[in-house]
Structure formats: C-alpha cells, structure tokens
Amino acid sequence: MKKITFFIILLCSIITLQGIAQDVKKERIPLKHGAHRIGKRTDAEMQRWREYGLGQFIHWGVYAIPGGQWNGKTSTYAAEWFRSSGLITKEEYDNLYKQFNPVAFDARQWASQARQMGARYMIFTTKHHDGFCMWPSKYTDYTIAGTPYKKDIVKQLVDAYDAEGIDVYLYFSIIDWSHKGYRSGIPATEAEKESYGTFKAFTRNQLIELLTNYPSIKGLWFDGSWDKAWVNEAAWVDELGRELRAMHPGLIIGSRFRADENGARHIDSNGDLIDDYDQRFERNLPNSLKEVGGNDWDCVMTIPENQWGYHRDWSLTYVKTPYDLIEMTVKANSLDGNFVINFGPDDKGNIRPEETRIAKDIGNWMAVNGEAVYGTHHSVLDKHDWGYSTQKGDKIYLSVFNKPMNDLLRVKAPGSKDKEMVYVIESAKFLSTKKPAMIRDGGRDKNGSCYYDIVIPAEIEKTREPFVIEIRLKKVGKGEKSAYQQALT
Ligand code: FHN
C-alpha cells in the first residue's frame, strides 16, 4: 500500500512539475528588439516573394581571380574565403582588385540565362567578407571603380534582371575585412568603441547608398552577421533596419540581419522569427513543416559541396546534378520555402560551362513542370516516398523523383472529417504529355482515407526524368466514384 501511495505521489509531482515547466515555457519576456510581428507578413511584396519558388544566387568578386588556386597550389577552402586560405598573403589578396577586368561580363546574357532556368529572383553579392564593393561606393576606395574595369557591376545587373522581370536582392556582408574599424569581438576600450563606431557609420552609409542607387531592388540579403560585436548592437541594428524600411517601403530582409537584445539570432528569445523570412536553411533543407515553424524561409544552395565563389577545380567535390537541384527545388516548395541555386562566375565574367549546362537542364524541366513550383505551397497530401506534392488552389502537383518499379504511383487521399464523405481523385494529367492519367482504386483505410494507384504509361516511363502529375480532388459520398474514375478505371 505504502508503495502504491508513493508512486501516486511521485506521478502527481511529475505531472505538476511538467505543468509548471510548460507554463514557464509559455511565459513571454518583454523584448524591445525581438520580432516586431508575430506570424507572416501579409503585404503584396512578401506575397510575391513567397511565390518565386526558384531563385538564383551569384557570388562574384575579386576572389574569382585566384579561383581557389595560387602559385600552383589548390585550396579546398570555399573559394570566396580565399583570403584566409593561407595560400596567399593578405597584402597580395588586397591588391588583386587592381587586376579585376571581367571583359567578357554581359549582364544581359546572365539575366537571360537566369530567366531560361526559371529563376524568379536573383541575389547578388554586392560585397562579400573581403569588403570589395562591386559598385562604386563613395565610402571606400576598395571598389569596382578602382579596377581596370571601372564600370558599376551592380547597376548593370539590376538593369538587366529588371528587364527580364527577375526581382533583384542585394547580398551584403556585415563582416568587412577591409575596414579598419571592423572587428569580430565586442569592443572593450573607449578607443575600440570609437573605432567600431566608424565601422557602424560606414555600414549604415553603404546600405543607404545601395537603396538610393538601386531603388528597384526588392530586398537585402544579409550575411556575416554572427560576430559578437554586431550581435551586441541589437538596438542600433534594429534602428538601422527601421530606417532602411522607411526609405524603401516593402523592403524584404531575412532573419540574418540582427539579433535581439539577448543575443538570440534568427529566432528571438520568445521563439518568434526576427524580420521577414528564416535564413537558417543554408545548404540544408528542412525535412518537415514542423522544422519550418510556420515561417517563410529560403534555402540557398551551392552546386558543388561548399563553393560559392568561382573555384577552378571542381574535381575535388561532388557536383549536384540538375535532377538533384530540381528535387531540392520541389522539396523546398512542398515545405513552403523558396530554393536558390548559386553560381560563381569566373574572373572574366563567364558563367562556367558546367553551370550553364545545369541551368539549361533545370530550365528545360521548369518550362514543362514549373507549375508545380511557382506560387505553390505545402499540399493537403501526406508525404509520399515517390517524391513531393505541392498545391496551388485546388490543383495538387505530384512530382515524382523515385518512380515505383511497378509503374503504379500510390497516392493516399486525405481523410475526411465527415465519415460519410471521402476524397476521390477527380482528374489527373501528366504535365509533360498533357494526357490524362489512368487511375486504379487502391482501397480505403479505417480512417476513411482512399488510396489510388496512378498508372505510369510507357511514354513517361521511358524518359527516365522526374515528372509531374496534376490532380484535383473531390469530396463525394462514400461508395461514389468521380465521373473521371468511372470513365478511366
Ligand atoms: O561565409 C559565407 C559564405 O562564403 C557564403 O557567402 C554563404 C552564402 O550564404 N554565407 C556565408 C556562410 O554562411
């Protein structure tokens, strides 16, 4: 008896403690510089962002000159970090810009290639961690104006991509190795504070300059904001964000710009997303909606493993295939995110042939199947092993990357809350052939979900390409079949 009483008391204590723990978890702390909005932005600009589906990233700067190699040695470092590779002295690197002369650069050709690939937005590195500016900034001499090339690259790109109807976002690195006042650690002395103050003023000036010079851009894509010194400036950075947004209504900024006053980055101390979309999924797609936490998000991805800037030698790394990248694109959209593929042009301004081929293949697939990506979101269907489903209005797109050996694609329709009703497939067609698909009834489970087997015809099977089936569902009384099924089964 004593034992039973003991266990009952223990159980009650555990339940009470759990309750307290949950209450403590739910308690919100007052934050001045955390998220300024709970939930997603609902304005037209952000809705447009949400519908892009596929984007292009471009990492281009003076690091394209060494392209990962120097004095006959090859670095396995990310090429855009070459200054830190140990193969070049800082002085040599900092003088590379005097040779930067991308005579083959043709912004219109890049933009046309991006449009053919199906990109709806582009993010361009105006300034990476080395601090070299691809626009003629009046706040430093370390810019494109000081190169033999001289011309404003950012302007040419903004104009060319605007002309193709591709929205432009400017990548901006907070880390800037070229500025004397830049530091990673929190300034301790008055002199350090003063020096860091000059860096803050410089950063603010450059951001205002970018928004002033290129007013058609849609957003700023921040990077290199993890330094303690920057994180420590929550109030100042928050105010800067306000100023930039006031200057440029509708401006879109991801979660990597600022931290809250407790140093929490991306997600504030109350668990809410800081700014407009979650930037934490770099080269790392989430696997479930739960991971995404109901937020907008993007995933930026390299074609090789971890090379963003131009590296001459791709033989040292796995290079993703067009189908790898297409699958990732569809997966991102099935989880309510955008997917952005990175390109690293060479020092002359050429997009490397491997990237051009990949862009072309992706574009050919997107031209036929892009409906499954643009403007779509997570579908009402469960995740299936053959691939991913996305949805737009009442159209559900089944993107198949793992074709079943029996050429029957099993689809589980959602269960219906009303026990007398079930979902049937009202219509189904292949996007590539535009032909209707034949469907077999696959039975029901005890929760009222119906199963269907979509027959993959030989003409689709033989292409050995990922393909998309567009279906529509209809709720009918139990035992009824859709007119489509009656005709086709
Ligand atoms: O250090 C950079 C890296 O070079 C590259 O620019 C990527 C792109 O998102 N961002 C940083 C690493 O997170």
Side-chain angles (χ1 to χ4, degrees), residues 57 59 80-81 128-129 171 221 223 226 256 282 300 308:
F57 207 156
H59 273 69
E80 71 285 359
W81 277 76
H128 203 262
H129 310 333
Y171 167 108
W221 202 99
D223 198 4
W226 48 79
R256 219 185 262 193
E282 174 170 323
V300 291
W308 298 87

Side-chain angles (χ1 to χ4, degrees), residues 39 84 86 110 119 128 194 230 233 268 310 335 355 398 421 442:
S84 312
W110 288 16
H128 203 262
E194 200 182 313
W230 186 258
E233 292 289 344
D268 74 12
Y310 176 70
L335 296 172
E355 287 178 346
L398 317 178
M421 308 291 280

